[in-house]
Amino acid sequence: MPETAMPVPPLDLTDPAAFVDNDPHAYWDRMRAQAPVAWHETPHGTGFWSVARHADVLECYRDAARLSSARGTVLDVLLRGRDSAGGRMLAVMDRPRHRDLRHVMLRAFSPRLIRQVGEQVRSRADALVAGVVGAGRFDFAAEVAEVLPINTICDLLELPASDRADLLAWNKRALSSSHGDADPVDALEARNEILAYFVETARERRRRPGEDVISLLAGARVEGEPLSEDDIALNCYSLILGGDESTRMSAIGALDALGRHESQWRRLRTGSATVATAVEEVLRWVTPAMHFARTATCDVRIGGRRIRAGDIVSMWNISANNDPTVFARPRTFDVGRDPNPHVSLGHGPHFCLGAFLGRLELTAVLTSVVRRVRTIEVAAPPRRVYSTFLYGYEDLRLVLR
């Protein structure tokens, strides 16, 4: 343990069960008060820094020059060494290459394309909600939350409907599991399946390009050179994981929260709070990506602590989003909360590329639910996913009347 570190209360942040068997919010309350920037030892001897306060997390996100993404941005990958996609996938890339590739990928989210996809999102969301209202007890995760985001991102990538069930199944295995004794090899195999799928798709789009995102990447040049098929696949992998997992967790968390907070549901139904502010509160309340990580490129001070070059620094969004110095009564679900400066979508140069799309999907679901539903009943306690990265539920049994 570095001499500047403070002791960490006993919660192993590298163990998925820690976030299922314990109250992580109580843990982060203690950390913000007692050790807001703290060294965390791991059972295997590789340690890392945890950053808990909102202000310090923002500082880390902004400092892309001294806190690098290129070795990896997820703890379980960094603690095994480095991300093999470093410098090749947008999420694990530093400037100047990051800036150039981000510019290319932003073209995929042009206003024209977003308008087109937006109509599809609103229509699909309303049809999905209409299909479950009055149908008795059902699993909102399987019937709505799993269907909308995977189809939205696959529409952008112009992937066949016949392939989407496989992509969803691989996505769910890649970052989380439904039980505590999952084999890590299973997640690796799922990631490899996704990458192999997109390598083949990239080859096909180079032969027969269209106007979709994959064709755009296949024809783009970054720093004067075309992207390799492997690099195209890696960036498609990033898009489909980010476009599916975050929105899926958020949509499930939204309906769970509204079902358990009747007064907040009433505010939405009567119009005393807007869907727009509710969407931001859902993102804060759920915080689907609990953390992102960086590697210090030089000695740097964060929150008064000296971080040495080469140290891993993890920014805990789940803690920053519940910092009482920024959010009044943070463990109160408030659909009218405004302002709401959450960091669920990141901050700074690596702010989520698909943030607009995720907000569009949540808005579509909540708008349809408000229009069609009178009461939301949570019929059974939902089960947490097992992950050190994702936070949310894998199922949600509801009755919508």
Side-chain angles (χ1 to χ4, degrees):
M1 177 187 295
E3 60 182 6
T4 55
M6 293 182 67
V8 177
L11 189 64
D12 183 2
L13 300 177
T14 67
D15 180 5
F19 300 97
V20 176
D21 300 337
N22 300 279
D23 178 4
H25 296 294
Y27 170 83
W28 290 114
D29 286 346
R30 292 197 304 271
M31 294 302 295
R32 285 190 304 271
Q34 299 171 13
V37 180
W39 183 255
H40 189 99
E41 295 284 1
T42 70
H44 308 294
T46 303
F48 59 92
W49 292 94
S50 293
V51 182
R53 290 187 304 207
H54 188 275
D56 294 330
V57 167
L58 284 186
E59 179 186 346
C60 290
Y61 275 125
R62 293 186 187 115
D63 197 355
R66 295 186 297 175
L67 296 174
S68 169
S69 300
R71 286 191 64 238
T73 59
V74 178
L75 268 178
D76 67 349
V77 174
L78 276 169
L79 293 173
R80 292 197 301 268
R82 64 178 296 127
D83 195 322
S84 59
R88 304 167 65 195
M89 186 167 71
L90 187 69
V92 285
M93 185 181 292
D94 294 329
R95 292 181 177 180
R97 187 170 177 82
H98 175 268
R99 181 186 57 240
D100 290 354
L101 180 57
R102 185 178 177 88
H103 179 73
V104 168
M105 295 183 74
L106 279 171
R107 287 160 50 198
F109 295 89
S110 66
R112 180 189 63 80
L113 191 55
I114 289 297
R115 280 195 299 272
Q116 177 183 329
V117 172
E119 289 302 316
Q120 295 171 325
V121 167
R122 285 184 283 272
S123 175
R124 183 177 283 130
D126 194 51
L128 290 169
V129 172
V132 294
V133 175
R137 177 170 161 158
F138 73 101
D139 182 2
F140 179 81
E143 299 297 325
V144 179
E146 290 184 359
V147 179
L148 180 63
I150 192 67
N151 279 289
T152 300
I153 195 66
C154 286
D155 285 345
L156 273 173
L157 300 175
E158 291 193 7
L159 300 177
S162 56
D163 296 345
R164 298 181 183 190
D166 284 340
L167 286 164
L168 174 63
W170 295 330
N171 275 1
K172 292 171 71 174
R173 288 163 49 202
L175 290 178
S176 65
S177 68
S178 58
H179 52 87
D181 57 353
D183 187 344
V185 174
D186 191 49
L188 181 62
E189 289 176 346
R191 292 167 194 161
N192 287 340
E193 292 279 12
I194 298 171
L195 290 171
Y197 176 89
F198 281 119
V199 165
E200 184 55 40
T201 304
R203 288 174 184 157
E204 176 63 23
R205 300 293 163 88
R206 276 210 162 127
R207 288 193 294 266
R208 285 186 285 273
E211 296 184 359
D212 59 283
V213 176
I214 303 176
S215 297
L216 179 68
L217 289 171
R221 287 182 172 268
V222 177
E223 296 185 322
E225 297 292 333
L227 295 172
S228 70
E229 289 168 353
D230 286 348
D231 287 5
I232 296 168
L234 285 166
N235 283 284
C236 290
Y237 166 84
S238 179
L239 283 172
I240 202 163
L241 277 183
D244 171 47
E245 295 281 4
S246 180
T247 303
R248 178 157 52 89
M249 293 293 105
S250 297
I252 296 168
L255 269 290
D256 175 70
L258 290 169
R260 296 178 188 281
H261 298 84
E262 186 177 349
S263 64
Q264 300 304 304
W265 171 233
R266 193 180 308 117
R267 291 177 71 191
L268 270 186
R269 287 196 68 227
T270 60
S272 64
T274 68
V275 168
T277 57
V279 164
E280 298 309 312
E281 180 67 346
V282 165
L283 289 169
R284 184 197 71 85
W285 181 257
V286 177
T287 312
M290 287 190 286
H291 77 267
F292 284 107
R294 303 287 190 264
T295 303
T297 59
C298 60
D299 288 4
V300 60
R301 296 191 74 82
I302 302 171
R305 300 292 172 191
R306 183 186 178 192
I307 313 298
R308 297 183 184 277
D311 285 354
I312 296 168
V313 178
S314 56
M315 299 93 76
W316 288 88
N317 301 328
I318 191 173
S319 177
N321 281 347
N322 289 278
D323 189 331
T325 68
V326 178
F327 304 95
R329 305 183 313 279
R331 292 318 297 157
T332 298
F333 181 65
D334 177 3
V335 292
R337 188 183 296 275
D338 185 35
N340 195 340
H342 63 78
V343 292
S344 296
L345 301 170
H347 187 78
H350 281 267
F351 182 72
C352 177
L353 191 71
F356 181 85
L357 197 60
R359 285 174 166 135
L360 178 68
E361 291 169 312
L362 283 175
T363 298
V365 170
L366 291 184
T367 298
S368 184
V369 169
V370 168
R371 185 164 68 87
R372 294 182 176 276
V373 176
R374 185 177 74 254
T375 62
I376 302 172
E377 177 190 341
V378 179
R383 293 174 296 166
R384 286 273 181 210
V385 297
Y386 277 81
S387 175
T388 59
F389 178 71
L390 285 177
Y391 196 68
Y393 300 116
E394 65 170 286
D395 61 4
L396 181 62
R397 307 288 170 177
L398 296 179
V399 177
L400 300 181
R401 299 184 180 87

